[in-house]
Amino acid sequence: MSASLIPKDRIPWRHMVLFGWLPSPLKRLAYRLFLGYRIGKGVRFSFGGIVVGKSVELGDHVEIGFLAIVQGRNISIGRYSSVGTMSYVSCETIQIGEDAKIREQVYVGGPQLPESRFELGSRTIILQLAFINPTKPVVIGDDTGIGGHCLIFTHGVWLNALDGYPVNYEPVTLGKSVWLPWRVFVMPGTTIGDGTVIGANSLVSGDIPPSSLAVGSPAKVIRSAPDFPKRLSGEQRAALVAKLMNEFDQFVQYHGGAVTEEPPFRRYRVGRKTGRLLWVRRATPLPDSALRHGDCVLAESALPASVRHTLGARGVYWLDLEGKSRSREGSPLTEELALYLGRYGVRLAREA
């Protein structure tokens, strides 16, 4: 059979043979020298993990998993983001924010158009076996979670349009802090507003307003603001943080760690790694004279910009729950606690 006019390399075999087998340090070097990729510090490539593009920028500490493929014309992946084992991401333009996670065996691809675009916001996650078709742009806002086996389509066509059958090519937009649990089907042309939750096994089409709970096939809004989501009082928030920290302590101890009180600090030790945590409850002053380089501050109330600057200058890391922010870098304790907070949907934006 004759080849088509425009080559369509779904699997970049030549690139895999040339670069895929290289160990991570050599792959970084080869990408910089031979392909002109802009690669930040601490970027890691597993065996067979490749990035193929004309313009590529990978931020600090990006991870490309085992046999993962990312290919497109323009690719930008923000710091601390990752693409999991055997995932496939192919689109003309790929833009991924920071701290975004694409887990194992996720498929992003399909027929390509010049306007094809896959935009994934910061602190997002796409879980295993999700399928996303960005023939038309798919835009996913910050702090949005997409469960496993979810399907997002921007086109629907098979039968002959000249015979009167429908053909649909429309973009999909998911706002900030949207949650799609497992097995949600999103149809072309759908827009889901900020802070909305879709019930599992739902079929979504059209516009879903912000701060809503929608379920069913087709999905219909059953709750909305101000009744959804429920607003917590200061006392309820403090009790929830205390519950979370108690669980975190148990989690550390379960993994062989030790938690000891060194007032006003709490020390965590796992193997050779150790760290001090200062938990600042609501309306409690910050005893900054006792803080030293490498400590971590967990603040329930928002930290003023001047305090955050002072902490950063002294090499103290911080997690600000009310301000929904955190220090740019972190100690092992900071990173572990930030990950654990994510189990409760608490995601904190890294300082710029």
Side-chain angles (χ1 to χ4, degrees), residues 229-254:
K230 176 183 177 182
R231 302 300 176 185
L232 301 182
S233 67
E235 292 74 17
Q236 289 172 320
R237 286 173 59 93
L240 184 55
V241 173
K243 176 178 180 290
L244 193 155
M245 289 303 300
N246 181 60
E247 291 181 359
F248 178 69
D249 290 352
Q250 295 177 23
F251 176 75
V252 171
Q253 291 165 343
Y254 176 78

PDB file of all heavy atoms in Angstrom, residues 229-254:
ATOM      1  N   PRO A 229     -19.630  23.202  47.996  1.00  0.00           N
ATOM      2  CA  PRO A 229     -19.265  22.280  49.081  1.00  0.00           C
ATOM      3  C   PRO A 229     -19.604  22.861  50.461  1.00  0.00           C
ATOM      4  O   PRO A 229     -19.834  24.063  50.594  1.00  0.00           O
ATOM      5  CB  PRO A 229     -17.759  22.132  48.917  1.00  0.00           C
ATOM      6  CG  PRO A 229     -17.330  23.451  48.342  1.00  0.00           C
ATOM      7  CD  PRO A 229     -18.447  23.880  47.432  1.00  0.00           C
ATOM      8  N   LYS A 230     -19.607  22.013  51.463  1.00  0.00           N
ATOM      9  CA  LYS A 230     -19.904  22.422  52.830  1.00  0.00           C
ATOM     10  C   LYS A 230     -18.771  23.304  53.359  1.00  0.00           C
ATOM     11  O   LYS A 230     -17.598  22.978  53.198  1.00  0.00           O
ATOM     12  CB  LYS A 230     -20.058  21.190  53.714  1.00  0.00           C
ATOM     13  CG  LYS A 230     -20.283  21.481  55.187  1.00  0.00           C
ATOM     14  CD  LYS A 230     -20.339  20.189  55.987  1.00  0.00           C
ATOM     15  CE  LYS A 230     -20.498  20.481  57.479  1.00  0.00           C
ATOM     16  NZ  LYS A 230     -20.496  19.221  58.282  1.00  0.00           N
ATOM     17  N   ARG A 231     -19.127  24.411  54.000  1.00  0.00           N
ATOM     18  CA  ARG A 231     -18.131  25.312  54.563  1.00  0.00           C
ATOM     19  C   ARG A 231     -17.846  24.925  56.011  1.00  0.00           C
ATOM     20  O   ARG A 231     -18.771  24.739  56.805  1.00  0.00           O
ATOM     21  CB  ARG A 231     -18.629  26.761  54.510  1.00  0.00           C
ATOM     22  CG  ARG A 231     -18.968  27.227  53.104  1.00  0.00           C
ATOM     23  CD  ARG A 231     -17.781  27.159  52.169  1.00  0.00           C
ATOM     24  NE  ARG A 231     -18.136  27.525  50.814  1.00  0.00           N
ATOM     25  CZ  ARG A 231     -17.314  27.453  49.772  1.00  0.00           C
ATOM     26  NH1 ARG A 231     -16.082  27.002  49.943  1.00  0.00           N
ATOM     27  NH2 ARG A 231     -17.720  27.801  48.568  1.00  0.00           N
ATOM     28  N   LEU A 232     -16.568  24.798  56.350  1.00  0.00           N
ATOM     29  CA  LEU A 232     -16.166  24.413  57.705  1.00  0.00           C
ATOM     30  C   LEU A 232     -15.882  25.638  58.554  1.00  0.00           C
ATOM     31  O   LEU A 232     -15.336  26.639  58.068  1.00  0.00           O
ATOM     32  CB  LEU A 232     -14.922  23.525  57.655  1.00  0.00           C
ATOM     33  CG  LEU A 232     -15.022  22.219  56.862  1.00  0.00           C
ATOM     34  CD1 LEU A 232     -13.701  21.451  56.969  1.00  0.00           C
ATOM     35  CD2 LEU A 232     -16.179  21.365  57.323  1.00  0.00           C
ATOM     36  N   SER A 233     -16.227  25.551  59.817  1.00  0.00           N
ATOM     37  CA  SER A 233     -15.866  26.608  60.762  1.00  0.00           C
ATOM     38  C   SER A 233     -14.391  26.495  61.112  1.00  0.00           C
ATOM     39  O   SER A 233     -13.728  25.482  60.807  1.00  0.00           O
ATOM     40  CB  SER A 233     -16.715  26.482  62.024  1.00  0.00           C
ATOM     41  OG  SER A 233     -16.380  25.294  62.731  1.00  0.00           O
ATOM     42  N   GLY A 234     -13.859  27.528  61.777  1.00  0.00           N
ATOM     43  CA  GLY A 234     -12.461  27.483  62.208  1.00  0.00           C
ATOM     44  C   GLY A 234     -12.182  26.314  63.128  1.00  0.00           C
ATOM     45  O   GLY A 234     -11.131  25.665  63.029  1.00  0.00           O
ATOM     46  N   GLU A 235     -13.122  26.012  64.024  1.00  0.00           N
ATOM     47  CA  GLU A 235     -12.948  24.884  64.951  1.00  0.00           C
ATOM     48  C   GLU A 235     -12.959  23.553  64.204  1.00  0.00           C
ATOM     49  O   GLU A 235     -12.183  22.642  64.517  1.00  0.00           O
ATOM     50  CB  GLU A 235     -14.049  24.901  66.011  1.00  0.00           C
ATOM     51  CG  GLU A 235     -13.976  26.069  66.987  1.00  0.00           C
ATOM     52  CD  GLU A 235     -14.413  27.389  66.374  1.00  0.00           C
ATOM     53  OE1 GLU A 235     -15.078  27.360  65.302  1.00  0.00           O
ATOM     54  OE2 GLU A 235     -14.094  28.448  66.952  1.00  0.00           O
ATOM     55  N   GLN A 236     -13.827  23.429  63.221  1.00  0.00           N
ATOM     56  CA  GLN A 236     -13.890  22.195  62.441  1.00  0.00           C
ATOM     57  C   GLN A 236     -12.612  21.997  61.629  1.00  0.00           C
ATOM     58  O   GLN A 236     -12.097  20.873  61.525  1.00  0.00           O
ATOM     59  CB  GLN A 236     -15.103  22.216  61.525  1.00  0.00           C
ATOM     60  CG  GLN A 236     -16.428  22.075  62.260  1.00  0.00           C
ATOM     61  CD  GLN A 236     -17.626  22.288  61.341  1.00  0.00           C
ATOM     62  OE1 GLN A 236     -17.613  23.170  60.462  1.00  0.00           O
ATOM     63  NE2 GLN A 236     -18.645  21.466  61.514  1.00  0.00           N
ATOM     64  N   ARG A 237     -12.099  23.072  61.066  1.00  0.00           N
ATOM     65  CA  ARG A 237     -10.839  22.972  60.310  1.00  0.00           C
ATOM     66  C   ARG A 237      -9.697  22.558  61.225  1.00  0.00           C
ATOM     67  O   ARG A 237      -8.880  21.697  60.867  1.00  0.00           O
ATOM     68  CB  ARG A 237     -10.520  24.316  59.647  1.00  0.00           C
ATOM     69  CG  ARG A 237     -11.384  24.645  58.450  1.00  0.00           C
ATOM     70  CD  ARG A 237     -11.106  26.067  57.960  1.00  0.00           C
ATOM     71  NE  ARG A 237      -9.707  26.246  57.592  1.00  0.00           N
ATOM     72  CZ  ARG A 237      -9.212  26.089  56.371  1.00  0.00           C
ATOM     73  NH1 ARG A 237     -10.030  25.739  55.383  1.00  0.00           N
ATOM     74  NH2 ARG A 237      -7.939  26.290  56.119  1.00  0.00           N
ATOM     75  N   ALA A 238      -9.623  23.151  62.414  1.00  0.00           N
ATOM     76  CA  ALA A 238      -8.553  22.815  63.351  1.00  0.00           C
ATOM     77  C   ALA A 238      -8.644  21.358  63.786  1.00  0.00           C
ATOM     78  O   ALA A 238      -7.621  20.666  63.891  1.00  0.00           O
ATOM     79  CB  ALA A 238      -8.620  23.738  64.571  1.00  0.00           C
ATOM     80  N   ALA A 239      -9.873  20.873  64.024  1.00  0.00           N
ATOM     81  CA  ALA A 239     -10.046  19.474  64.420  1.00  0.00           C
ATOM     82  C   ALA A 239      -9.631  18.534  63.294  1.00  0.00           C
ATOM     83  O   ALA A 239      -9.035  17.472  63.540  1.00  0.00           O
ATOM     84  CB  ALA A 239     -11.502  19.233  64.813  1.00  0.00           C
ATOM     85  N   LEU A 240      -9.913  18.907  62.058  1.00  0.00           N
ATOM     86  CA  LEU A 240      -9.541  18.072  60.924  1.00  0.00           C
ATOM     87  C   LEU A 240      -8.026  18.032  60.749  1.00  0.00           C
ATOM     88  O   LEU A 240      -7.449  16.971  60.455  1.00  0.00           O
ATOM     89  CB  LEU A 240     -10.208  18.598  59.647  1.00  0.00           C
ATOM     90  CG  LEU A 240     -10.000  17.771  58.381  1.00  0.00           C
ATOM     91  CD1 LEU A 240     -10.432  16.327  58.568  1.00  0.00           C
ATOM     92  CD2 LEU A 240     -10.747  18.404  57.203  1.00  0.00           C
ATOM     93  N   VAL A 241      -7.362  19.173  60.945  1.00  0.00           N
ATOM     94  CA  VAL A 241      -5.896  19.202  60.860  1.00  0.00           C
ATOM     95  C   VAL A 241      -5.298  18.325  61.955  1.00  0.00           C
ATOM     96  O   VAL A 241      -4.334  17.573  61.715  1.00  0.00           O
ATOM     97  CB  VAL A 241      -5.366  20.640  60.966  1.00  0.00           C
ATOM     98  CG1 VAL A 241      -3.833  20.650  61.040  1.00  0.00           C
ATOM     99  CG2 VAL A 241      -5.829  21.473  59.767  1.00  0.00           C
ATOM    100  N   ALA A 242      -5.846  18.389  63.165  1.00  0.00           N
ATOM    101  CA  ALA A 242      -5.342  17.554  64.256  1.00  0.00           C
ATOM    102  C   ALA A 242      -5.512  16.078  63.928  1.00  0.00           C
ATOM    103  O   ALA A 242      -4.615  15.263  64.192  1.00  0.00           O
ATOM    104  CB  ALA A 242      -6.078  17.903  65.555  1.00  0.00           C
ATOM    105  N   LYS A 243      -6.643  15.715  63.367  1.00  0.00           N
ATOM    106  CA  LYS A 243      -6.886  14.324  62.969  1.00  0.00           C
ATOM    107  C   LYS A 243      -5.879  13.890  61.900  1.00  0.00           C
ATOM    108  O   LYS A 243      -5.301  12.793  61.963  1.00  0.00           O
ATOM    109  CB  LYS A 243      -8.311  14.184  62.444  1.00  0.00           C
ATOM    110  CG  LYS A 243      -8.679  12.794  61.904  1.00  0.00           C
ATOM    111  CD  LYS A 243     -10.142  12.782  61.464  1.00  0.00           C
ATOM    112  CE  LYS A 243     -10.545  11.414  60.930  1.00  0.00           C
ATOM    113  NZ  LYS A 243      -9.908  11.107  59.634  1.00  0.00           N
ATOM    114  N   LEU A 244      -5.663  14.759  60.933  1.00  0.00           N
ATOM    115  CA  LEU A 244      -4.725  14.452  59.851  1.00  0.00           C
ATOM    116  C   LEU A 244      -3.309  14.262  60.394  1.00  0.00           C
ATOM    117  O   LEU A 244      -2.601  13.319  60.010  1.00  0.00           O
ATOM    118  CB  LEU A 244      -4.767  15.572  58.820  1.00  0.00           C
ATOM    119  CG  LEU A 244      -4.108  15.352  57.470  1.00  0.00           C
ATOM    120  CD1 LEU A 244      -4.752  16.257  56.426  1.00  0.00           C
ATOM    121  CD2 LEU A 244      -2.617  15.620  57.522  1.00  0.00           C
ATOM    122  N   MET A 245      -2.869  15.153  61.297  1.00  0.00           N
ATOM    123  CA  MET A 245      -1.522  15.049  61.840  1.00  0.00           C
ATOM    124  C   MET A 245      -1.357  13.795  62.697  1.00  0.00           C
ATOM    125  O   MET A 245      -0.284  13.173  62.712  1.00  0.00           O
ATOM    126  CB  MET A 245      -1.180  16.299  62.649  1.00  0.00           C
ATOM    127  CG  MET A 245      -0.967  17.543  61.795  1.00  0.00           C
ATOM    128  SD  MET A 245       0.329  17.314  60.546  1.00  0.00           S
ATOM    129  CE  MET A 245       1.748  16.956  61.583  1.00  0.00           C
ATOM    130  N   ASN A 246      -2.396  13.406  63.408  1.00  0.00           N
ATOM    131  CA  ASN A 246      -2.335  12.169  64.181  1.00  0.00           C
ATOM    132  C   ASN A 246      -2.164  10.968  63.254  1.00  0.00           C
ATOM    133  O   ASN A 246      -1.368  10.056  63.526  1.00  0.00           O
ATOM    134  CB  ASN A 246      -3.610  12.015  65.014  1.00  0.00           C
ATOM    135  CG  ASN A 246      -3.596  10.762  65.862  1.00  0.00           C
ATOM    136  OD1 ASN A 246      -2.717  10.572  66.709  1.00  0.00           O
ATOM    137  ND2 ASN A 246      -4.572   9.887  65.653  1.00  0.00           N
ATOM    138  N   GLU A 247      -2.878  10.986  62.143  1.00  0.00           N
ATOM    139  CA  GLU A 247      -2.742   9.908  61.159  1.00  0.00           C
ATOM    140  C   GLU A 247      -1.352   9.922  60.522  1.00  0.00           C
ATOM    141  O   GLU A 247      -0.769   8.869  60.251  1.00  0.00           O
ATOM    142  CB  GLU A 247      -3.817  10.042  60.094  1.00  0.00           C
ATOM    143  CG  GLU A 247      -5.222   9.753  60.585  1.00  0.00           C
ATOM    144  CD  GLU A 247      -6.253   9.875  59.488  1.00  0.00           C
ATOM    145  OE1 GLU A 247      -5.856  10.206  58.344  1.00  0.00           O
ATOM    146  OE2 GLU A 247      -7.441   9.657  59.763  1.00  0.00           O
ATOM    147  N   PHE A 248      -0.822  11.122  60.267  1.00  0.00           N
ATOM    148  CA  PHE A 248       0.516  11.216  59.680  1.00  0.00           C
ATOM    149  C   PHE A 248       1.560  10.631  60.628  1.00  0.00           C
ATOM    150  O   PHE A 248       2.467   9.902  60.195  1.00  0.00           O
ATOM    151  CB  PHE A 248       0.846  12.674  59.358  1.00  0.00           C
ATOM    152  CG  PHE A 248       2.215  12.873  58.785  1.00  0.00           C
ATOM    153  CD1 PHE A 248       2.533  12.421  57.522  1.00  0.00           C
ATOM    154  CD2 PHE A 248       3.212  13.514  59.527  1.00  0.00           C
ATOM    155  CE1 PHE A 248       3.807  12.597  56.989  1.00  0.00           C
ATOM    156  CE2 PHE A 248       4.484  13.690  59.005  1.00  0.00           C
ATOM    157  CZ  PHE A 248       4.783  13.235  57.724  1.00  0.00           C
ATOM    158  N   ASP A 249       1.455  10.933  61.910  1.00  0.00           N
ATOM    159  CA  ASP A 249       2.384  10.366  62.889  1.00  0.00           C
ATOM    160  C   ASP A 249       2.322   8.839  62.867  1.00  0.00           C
ATOM    161  O   ASP A 249       3.357   8.154  62.889  1.00  0.00           O
ATOM    162  CB  ASP A 249       2.065  10.876  64.293  1.00  0.00           C
ATOM    163  CG  ASP A 249       2.394  12.351  64.467  1.00  0.00           C
ATOM    164  OD1 ASP A 249       3.010  12.931  63.550  1.00  0.00           O
ATOM    165  OD2 ASP A 249       2.029  12.920  65.512  1.00  0.00           O
ATOM    166  N   GLN A 250       1.121   8.289  62.838  1.00  0.00           N
ATOM    167  CA  GLN A 250       0.963   6.839  62.788  1.00  0.00           C
ATOM    168  C   GLN A 250       1.544   6.256  61.503  1.00  0.00           C
ATOM    169  O   GLN A 250       2.133   5.172  61.511  1.00  0.00           O
ATOM    170  CB  GLN A 250      -0.517   6.475  62.910  1.00  0.00           C
ATOM    171  CG  GLN A 250      -1.147   6.827  64.248  1.00  0.00           C
ATOM    172  CD  GLN A 250      -2.622   6.500  64.287  1.00  0.00           C
ATOM    173  OE1 GLN A 250      -3.115   5.658  63.546  1.00  0.00           O
ATOM    174  NE2 GLN A 250      -3.358   7.187  65.152  1.00  0.00           N
ATOM    175  N   PHE A 251       1.377   7.000  60.403  1.00  0.00           N
ATOM    176  CA  PHE A 251       1.912   6.569  59.112  1.00  0.00           C
ATOM    177  C   PHE A 251       3.434   6.487  59.164  1.00  0.00           C
ATOM    178  O   PHE A 251       4.037   5.513  58.685  1.00  0.00           O
ATOM    179  CB  PHE A 251       1.454   7.561  58.039  1.00  0.00           C
ATOM    180  CG  PHE A 251       1.997   7.299  56.667  1.00  0.00           C
ATOM    181  CD1 PHE A 251       1.507   6.266  55.893  1.00  0.00           C
ATOM    182  CD2 PHE A 251       2.991   8.108  56.137  1.00  0.00           C
ATOM    183  CE1 PHE A 251       1.999   6.028  54.615  1.00  0.00           C
ATOM    184  CE2 PHE A 251       3.491   7.884  54.865  1.00  0.00           C
ATOM    185  CZ  PHE A 251       2.990   6.841  54.102  1.00  0.00           C
ATOM    186  N   VAL A 252       4.073   7.501  59.750  1.00  0.00           N
ATOM    187  CA  VAL A 252       5.536   7.494  59.876  1.00  0.00           C
ATOM    188  C   VAL A 252       5.993   6.345  60.753  1.00  0.00           C
ATOM    189  O   VAL A 252       6.956   5.628  60.429  1.00  0.00           O
ATOM    190  CB  VAL A 252       6.022   8.851  60.443  1.00  0.00           C
ATOM    191  CG1 VAL A 252       7.510   8.791  60.784  1.00  0.00           C
ATOM    192  CG2 VAL A 252       5.759   9.978  59.451  1.00  0.00           C
ATOM    193  N   GLN A 253       5.313   6.118  61.870  1.00  0.00           N
ATOM    194  CA  GLN A 253       5.684   5.042  62.785  1.00  0.00           C
ATOM    195  C   GLN A 253       5.478   3.676  62.147  1.00  0.00           C
ATOM    196  O   GLN A 253       6.267   2.745  62.366  1.00  0.00           O
ATOM    197  CB  GLN A 253       4.876   5.166  64.080  1.00  0.00           C
ATOM    198  CG  GLN A 253       5.270   6.384  64.913  1.00  0.00           C
ATOM    199  CD  GLN A 253       4.267   6.715  65.998  1.00  0.00           C
ATOM    200  OE1 GLN A 253       3.129   6.250  65.974  1.00  0.00           O
ATOM    201  NE2 GLN A 253       4.678   7.534  66.959  1.00  0.00           N
ATOM    202  N   TYR A 254       4.434   3.531  61.341  1.00  0.00           N
ATOM    203  CA  TYR A 254       4.180   2.260  60.660  1.00  0.00           C
ATOM    204  C   TYR A 254       5.335   1.891  59.741  1.00  0.00           C
ATOM    205  O   TYR A 254       5.649   0.716  59.556  1.00  0.00           O
ATOM    206  CB  TYR A 254       2.873   2.363  59.864  1.00  0.00           C
ATOM    207  CG  TYR A 254       2.556   1.144  59.044  1.00  0.00           C
ATOM    208  CD1 TYR A 254       2.025   0.001  59.628  1.00  0.00           C
ATOM    209  CD2 TYR A 254       2.807   1.122  57.671  1.00  0.00           C
ATOM    210  CE1 TYR A 254       1.740  -1.135  58.869  1.00  0.00           C
ATOM    211  CE2 TYR A 254       2.533  -0.001  56.905  1.00  0.00           C
ATOM    212  CZ  TYR A 254       1.990  -1.132  57.508  1.00  0.00           C
ATOM    213  OH  TYR A 254       1.723  -2.253  56.759  1.00  0.00           O
TER     214      TYR A 254
END
